[in-house]
Amino acid sequence: QQPVQSPQAVILREGEDAVINCSSSKALYSVHWYRQKHGEAPVFLMILLKGGEQKGHDKISASFNEKKQQSSLYLTASQLSYSGTYFCGINAGNMLTFGGGTRLMVKP
Amino acid sequence: ETGVTQTPRHLVMGMTNKKSLKCEQHLGHNAMYWYKQSAKKPLELMFVYSLEERVENNSVPSRFSPECPNSSHLFLHLHTLQPEDSALYLCASSPGTGSRYEQYFGPGTRLTVT
């Protein structure tokens, strides 16, 4: 079952913050986050492997709420380079099942 | 070469043609994947290989045939495709299978079926 991402799209001004959510109808054991810029390959951002875990680098961080079966990606003080489509992927045996993506555009 | 490479980057083929997509990873990983990315659709996993053995086949039509001769190379053989098969085909690799491992993607092959 594919995770649901929200919002589907968001437009920010440089310096603004954004939150992208990823929800599953099944129990979650791990959540991946990737970013894909237009015309490029998806790039790995981070994995969260257990409930309550929070990770981050630079000004992008994520949390994993096992009980709520969801993860959130936080982008703080957004930069132009943050523009792209963000995908979450959730565990499904040997496979990752990806959400539909959130298109983020950061404007000057 | 570093990371994951894919050739060709663009491919146009007729429905009666046979072609192959190639993927090579230079990361020493044990698992490789084929994904299909269509417009306005999520990434769809097609095949997973671990140490050259296929471990997942995600209900993909038989006109797509994967081959993994060694842990560094992955092919996708295409024959008698349909126009709806036009998409970006992405290859990825990871240190192992399972959701504990991050995946590294290649740049993709943009396939157009005419």
Side-chain angles (χ1 to χ4, degrees):
Chain A
Q1 193 93 18
Q2 170 190 335
V4 176
Q5 287 187 233
S6 63
Q8 289 187 320
V10 59
I11 300 174
L12 299 174
R13 291 286 179 193
E14 234 179 329
E16 291 181 338
D17 302 340
V19 180
I20 300 171
N21 297 305
C22 175
S23 298
S24 171
S25 58
K26 291 186 174 181
L28 286 181
Y29 301 101
S30 67
V31 180
H32 293 221
W33 286 98
Y34 294 80
R35 176 173 62 207
Q36 185 177 26
K37 292 181 181 281
H38 183 69
E40 297 181 13
V43 173
F44 169 76
L45 292 177
M46 62 191 82
I47 295 180
L48 298 105
L49 294 175
K50 53 186 177 183
E53 186 172 18
Q54 296 193 44
K55 276 190 178 179
H57 60 86
D58 201 5
K59 292 177 180 171
I60 300 176
S61 61
S63 63
F64 180 12
N65 189 323
E66 197 174 27
K67 289 182 181 176
K68 290 187 178 178
Q69 296 174 185
Q70 71 178 35
S71 176
S72 296
L73 187 72
Y74 306 92
L75 299 105
T76 306
S78 58
Q79 304 168 19
L80 295 175
S81 61
Y82 288 1
S83 293
T85 301
Y86 290 78
F87 295 96
C88 68
I90 63 172
N91 57 281
N94 280 327
M95 302 160 39
L96 275 183
T97 302
F98 285 93
T102 295
R103 186 171 291 184
L104 178 77
M105 182 184 295
V106 181
K107 294 187 171 181
Chain B
E1 296 273 19
T2 58
V4 181
T5 58
Q6 289 186 242
T7 54
R9 293 293 309 276
H10 300 271
L11 179 62
V12 179
M13 59 186 287
M15 290 191 283
T16 57
N17 289 161
K18 287 185 181 181
K19 296 284 184 185
S20 296
L21 309 185
K22 179 184 175 183
C23 174
E24 185 173 358
Q25 59 98 357
H26 309 268
L27 299 167
H29 289 167
N30 292 325
M32 296 186 77
Y33 310 79
W34 279 117
Y35 287 91
K36 177 183 179 182
Q37 188 174 38
S38 307
K40 299 184 181 178
K41 277 188 163 185
L43 276 165
E44 299 172 67
L45 179 69
M46 301 175 73
F47 302 102
V48 180
Y49 276 82
S50 175
L51 295 170
E52 301 135 52
E53 283 192 32
R54 191 188 307 179
V55 295
E56 289 286 349
N57 175 355
N58 207 18
S59 302
V60 179
S62 59
R63 57 186 183 269
F64 295 91
S65 174
E67 179 190 0
C68 188
N70 55 62
S71 58
S72 298
H73 293 86
L74 186 64
F75 295 89
L76 188 63
H77 304 298
L78 317 170
H79 64 97
T80 58
L81 294 190
Q82 305 297 311
E84 61 265 28
D85 296 323
S86 298
L88 181 67
Y89 288 85
L90 290 162
C91 173
S93 71
S94 62
T97 55
S99 55
R100 302 185 60 81
Y101 299 100
E102 68 274 23
Q103 295 187 15
Y104 293 83
F105 286 83
T109 294
R110 174 70 63 186
L111 174 67
T112 303
V113 181
T114 60

